[in-house]
Amino acid sequence: MKKGLIIVITMLMVPLTLGLSSPAGTKPPDTYVPVEETPEYYVLETLTIYNPEENQCDDSPLITANNSRIDLDKLRRNEIRWMALSRNLLKRWNGAFNYGDTVSLQSGDASIDGLWVINDNMNKRFKDRGDLLFHHDSRSTGIWKNVKISPAGRHI
């Protein structure tokens, strides 16, 4: 009987001494992994305008990087507000944003400030940049520095 009791007590004690079980409410040692906080906003060093033309895009300028088709009539009437970001800002390349995300843009220029949808990416040579899509009849030039963007719904 003593032998059986010793085996049962030993079986109950082994998990505790090996750290396999811990009392409720305590944190096992060395298991805390800090979670990187998402910034409230990102700063685009440069923001520019692009038009859906072969000399500014590629041989299919009406199709964006996420395969969205640009409706030129809607674009001309400013009914769509799409933008491209440099690859370092897109999740596909370990950035913070996905295609289809809506961002709030703050440049200090009321004509472009507001909500934009990310549907395109820029050439790989660019970093921390953005491009706003406009019909060439509406707008063909523009450059802004240190523009803030944040996920839609966050105030910057």
Side-chain angles (χ1 to χ4, degrees):
M1 180 78 165
K2 280 186 181 179
K3 196 176 209 183
L5 187 57
I6 292 174
I7 291 172
V8 171
I9 291 174
T10 304
M11 288 173 61
L12 292 173
M13 295 296 292
V14 168
L16 291 175
T17 59
L18 293 177
L20 300 176
S21 177
S22 60
T26 63
K27 179 182 84 167
D30 302 323
T31 58
Y32 174 74
V33 178
V35 177
E36 205 172 301
E37 287 192 34
T38 304
E40 287 186 35
Y41 62 88
Y42 295 81
V43 176
L44 302 177
E45 291 176 7
T46 305
L47 179 69
T48 52
I49 299 290
Y50 79 110
N51 307 119
E53 299 171 354
E54 283 188 33
N55 65 338
Q56 295 183 40
C57 300
D58 57 17
D59 60 351
S60 55
L62 296 179
I63 300 174
T64 65
N66 73 341
N67 288 320
S68 294
R69 183 167 291 282
I70 300 168
D71 181 325
L72 289 176
D73 292 328
K74 286 184 178 182
L75 188 62
R76 183 180 287 114
R77 293 189 303 266
N78 297 315
E79 292 176 7
I80 56 175
R81 288 171 60 101
W82 292 356
M83 72 180 301
L85 285 180
S86 55
R87 295 173 189 219
N88 69 304
L89 296 170
L90 293 168
K91 282 192 181 172
R92 183 175 179 180
W93 291 279
N94 298 316
F97 300 99
N98 278 311
Y99 293 125
D101 284 354
T102 300
V103 295
S104 177
L105 188 141
Q106 183 180 342
S107 68
D109 181 341
S111 69
I112 63 165
D113 285 353
L115 301 179
W116 291 83
V117 178
I118 302 165
N119 279 329
D120 214 346
N121 61 260
M122 300 177 73
N123 187 290
K124 62 185 174 185
R125 72 179 179 269
F126 296 115
K127 301 277 187 256
D128 299 317
R129 290 187 63 157
D131 248 349
L132 302 178
L133 178 65
F134 279 94
H135 192 281
H136 69 271
D137 291 344
S138 303
R139 190 169 197 162
S140 58
T141 60
I143 188 166
W144 299 265
K145 296 289 186 180
N146 301 316
V147 175
K148 294 179 182 178
I149 63 168
S150 65
R154 280 201 183 166
H155 298 287
I156 51 177

